[in-house]
């Protein structure tokens, strides 16, 4: 049985080692919403909400997620007994429409709690099999093609198994061509537009089709599946959908429409692990490879992504870079490291396999709120 009697919401701020620019904006400091769930036996589970500061990737922000969690989702689960985390997924789904990143943060915390209570790693709990997951790096937009070409060469030399370049109209073909020329025809390159292209202006996308990319991620806006299908019919390069895939039904739509051939799974985007597992299984049954995307998570969110990526149909390198790619110092011990282009899945210890550095989280906390089930004494922060 699973039950949570106290939930703490915290905002911590962590500067990125380098600003990260996507087609719709730049982030230099990550504002991170962490949840701390405590069960009646004092078992504590930390989780992370991946919502950003601005509503430029999805409509959610850290503030909307905080509000929905505090006023709706947390009250809907506090003090309730659940058979399993699937029941938590159903409860948060029944409570609110949308707000998937908020739901995911809470639901994933329960998955970890279930793993901790059963003395199993999160990876083992969900049926993960891999000992290590292949790692890619997602590189932000740079103005100069030569700058990105040099960076790509450097990251491949560091061992990354895939390099993804963020693109936007006007900062695309010349940049990717420069990178391709610098690293040769076989190097595993991909691009991600975060929906920045208009379906009536596809010249650049057709030019990218000649550059031997592993995939073109989310050229058009998330809600537009039909125009992705039209484009996919004209390109050899597989399209990969990210923003479009908000749940299992959209993955099925993609498959049936031919709107893409690869799915980027981000548990935060789809509402949590129950939906991620459903997408994984659906895609496996249809022969569609998936890979684990990233949202510039701290080491807490990364632990969930690494566990997820250990499932068998995660067949392409994920945006699962080690802690040092993002932070001077992460929130967890040990930090996430990369060896030979792979991150090890910590399957020998229960739960996340990393310890949250609570003193460091305390130092970095700028806001906190606490909710407890009726009759529960306040747990110390
Ligand atoms: O589209 O994959 C994306 C970061 C923020 C918002 C959207 C995306 C990304 C990334 C980051 O590509 C990948 C990472 O966490 O390393
Ligand atoms: Mg993306």
């Amino acid at each position: 049985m699973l039950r949570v009697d106290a939930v703490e919401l915290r905002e911590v701020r962590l500067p990125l080692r380098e600003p990260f620019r996507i087609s719709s904006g730049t982030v230099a400091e990550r504002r991170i919403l962490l949840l701390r769930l405590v069960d009646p036996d004092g078992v504590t589970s930390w989780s992370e909400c991946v919502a950003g500061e601005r509503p430029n990737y999805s409509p959610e922000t850290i503030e909307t997620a905080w509000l929905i969690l505090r006023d709706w989702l947390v009250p809907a689960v506090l003090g309730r007994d659940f058979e399993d985390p699937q029941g938590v997924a159903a409860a948060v789904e029944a409570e609110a429409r949308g707000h998937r990143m908020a739901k995911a943060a809470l639901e994933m915390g329960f998955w970890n709690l279930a793993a901790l209570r059963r003395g199993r790693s999160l990876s083992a709990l969900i049926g993960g099999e891999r000992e290590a997951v292949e790692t890619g790096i997602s590189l932000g937009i740079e103005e100069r093609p030569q700058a990105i070409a040099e960076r790509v060469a450097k990251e491949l030399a560091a061992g990354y198994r895939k390099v993804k370049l963020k693109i936007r109209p006007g900062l695309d073909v010349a940049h990717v061509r420069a990178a391709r020329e610098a690293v040769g025809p076989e190097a595993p390159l991909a691009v991600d537009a975060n929906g920045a292209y208009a379906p009536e202006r596809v010249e650049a996308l057709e030019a990218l089709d000649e550059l031997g990319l592993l995939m073109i991620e989310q050229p058009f806006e998330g809600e537009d599946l039909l125009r992705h299908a039209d484009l996919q019919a004209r390109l050899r390069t597989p399209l990969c959908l990210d923003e479009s895939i908000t749940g299992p039904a959209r993955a099925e739509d993609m498959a049936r429409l031919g709107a893409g051939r690869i799915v980027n799974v981000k548990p935060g985007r789809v509402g949590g692990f129950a939906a991620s597992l459903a997408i994984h299984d659906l895609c496996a049954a249809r022969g569609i490879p998936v890979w684990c995307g990233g949202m510039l998570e701290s080491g807490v969110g990364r632990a969930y992504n690494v566990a997820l990526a250990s499932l068998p149909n995660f067949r392409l390198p994920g945006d699962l870079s080690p802690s040092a790619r993002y932070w001077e110092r992460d929130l967890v011990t040990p930090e996430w490291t990369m060896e030979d282009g792979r991150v090890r899945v910590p399957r020998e210890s229960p739960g996340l396999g990393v310890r949250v550095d609570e003193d460091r989280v305390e130092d970095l906390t700028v806001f906190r709120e606490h909710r407890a089930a009726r009759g529960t004494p306040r747990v110390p922060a």
Side-chain angles (χ1 to χ4, degrees):
M1 207 57 109
L2 287 174
R3 175 180 161 142
V4 164
D5 281 338
V7 175
E8 193 175 50
L9 292 84
R10 290 175 176 252
E11 178 181 334
V12 300
R13 298 197 177 165
L14 210 52
L16 286 160
R17 287 178 71 176
E18 60 178 6
F20 187 75
R21 179 179 176 196
I22 71 172
S23 57
S24 55
T26 303
V27 53
E29 182 187 58
R30 210 51 186 96
R31 294 176 56 199
I32 300 167
L33 167 47
L34 296 177
L35 294 183
R36 182 172 178 263
L37 279 51
V38 185
D39 88 350
D41 299 320
V43 180
T44 298
S45 169
W46 286 90
S47 61
E48 174 168 348
C49 179
V50 299
E53 179 168 3
R54 295 174 51 191
N56 64 328
Y57 167 81
S58 87
E60 292 186 82
T61 68
I62 181 168
E63 274 85 12
T64 70
W66 190 290
L67 176 84
I68 292 290
L69 278 159
R70 183 193 64 197
D71 293 353
W72 300 99
L73 305 179
V74 169
V77 303
L78 264 188
R80 273 182 66 183
D81 288 319
F82 293 98
E83 288 287 335
D84 52 36
Q86 297 281 358
V88 178
V92 295
E93 197 46 43
E95 190 62 23
R97 303 244 187 236
H99 298 286
R100 292 182 190 85
M101 293 176 177
K103 290 172 180 171
L106 187 58
E107 189 244 29
M108 289 157 74
F110 273 85
W111 281 91
N112 180 40
L113 184 63
L116 289 166
R117 290 197 61 93
R118 292 178 206 176
R120 307 185 71 191
S121 71
L122 185 59
S123 165
L125 180 79
I126 62 173
E129 294 174 355
R130 293 176 205 285
E131 301 284 309
V133 296
E134 297 203 320
T135 304
I137 186 168
S138 173
L139 296 177
I141 293 171
E142 308 242 12
E143 290 291 331
R144 292 190 314 113
Q146 208 42 47
I148 200 70
E150 284 164 19
R151 185 70 192 273
V152 170
K154 177 175 157 231
E155 302 303 352
L156 287 170
Y160 283 105
R161 306 281 180 109
K162 179 186 84 187
V163 178
K164 167 170 126 179
L165 308 182
K166 292 291 188 178
I167 56 169
R168 56 168 294 169
L171 300 173
D172 44 27
V173 182
H175 295 65
V176 180
R177 189 174 286 131
R180 177 55 84 204
E181 281 165 8
V183 297
E186 304 296 330
L189 298 184
V191 295
D192 184 2
N194 290 104
Y197 290 82
E200 49 287 339
R201 294 284 314 271
V202 298
E203 302 84 348
L205 299 169
E206 286 171 338
L208 291 173
D209 197 32
E210 306 299 319
L211 294 174
L213 300 172
L214 287 176
M215 70 191 83
I216 298 173
E217 185 175 335
Q218 198 69 46
F220 307 144
E221 65 149 314
E223 290 182 10
D224 195 346
L225 285 171
L226 269 186
R227 271 143 291 260
H228 281 107
D230 292 341
L231 179 66
Q232 181 67 89
R234 295 167 58 182
L235 301 185
R236 277 173 302 181
T237 311
L239 296 183
C240 169
L241 297 185
D242 173 351
E243 286 90 329
S244 289
I245 309 300
T246 50
R250 292 293 85 68
E252 190 180 358
D253 294 349
M254 182 200 91
R256 285 171 54 176
L257 290 167
R261 298 189 188 137
I262 299 173
V263 173
N264 168 334
V265 179
K266 294 178 180 171
R269 191 195 65 226
V270 302
F273 264 26
S276 299
L277 297 172
I279 292 170
H280 169 272
D281 294 351
L282 183 150
C283 288
R286 289 176 173 273
I288 297 169
V290 308
W291 57 279
C292 187
M295 292 292 290
L296 310 174
E297 288 90 349
S298 80
V300 179
R302 197 159 308 281
Y304 289 88
N305 288 350
V306 168
L308 193 62
S310 71
L311 290 165
N313 195 41
F314 280 80
R315 285 194 266 145
L316 292 157
D319 286 345
L320 296 166
S321 308
S323 301
R325 183 264 183 278
Y326 307 95
W327 324 111
E328 287 299 338
R329 192 174 146 209
D330 206 336
L331 303 179
V332 301
T333 319
E335 298 205 342
W336 295 97
T337 55
M338 177 171 81
E339 230 174 287
D340 190 24
R342 308 193 316 159
V343 169
R344 211 177 53 78
V345 181
R347 289 170 56 91
E348 62 293 328
S349 46
L352 302 181
V354 288
R355 225 180 47 252
V356 176
D357 187 341
E358 301 209 2
D359 291 338
R360 179 154 166 75
V361 168
E362 183 62 29
D363 287 346
L364 295 169
T365 296
V366 290
F367 296 112
R368 86 176 76 200
E369 276 190 272
H370 181 267
R371 289 289 180 272
R374 213 190 287 272
T376 312
R378 204 195 136 94
V379 290

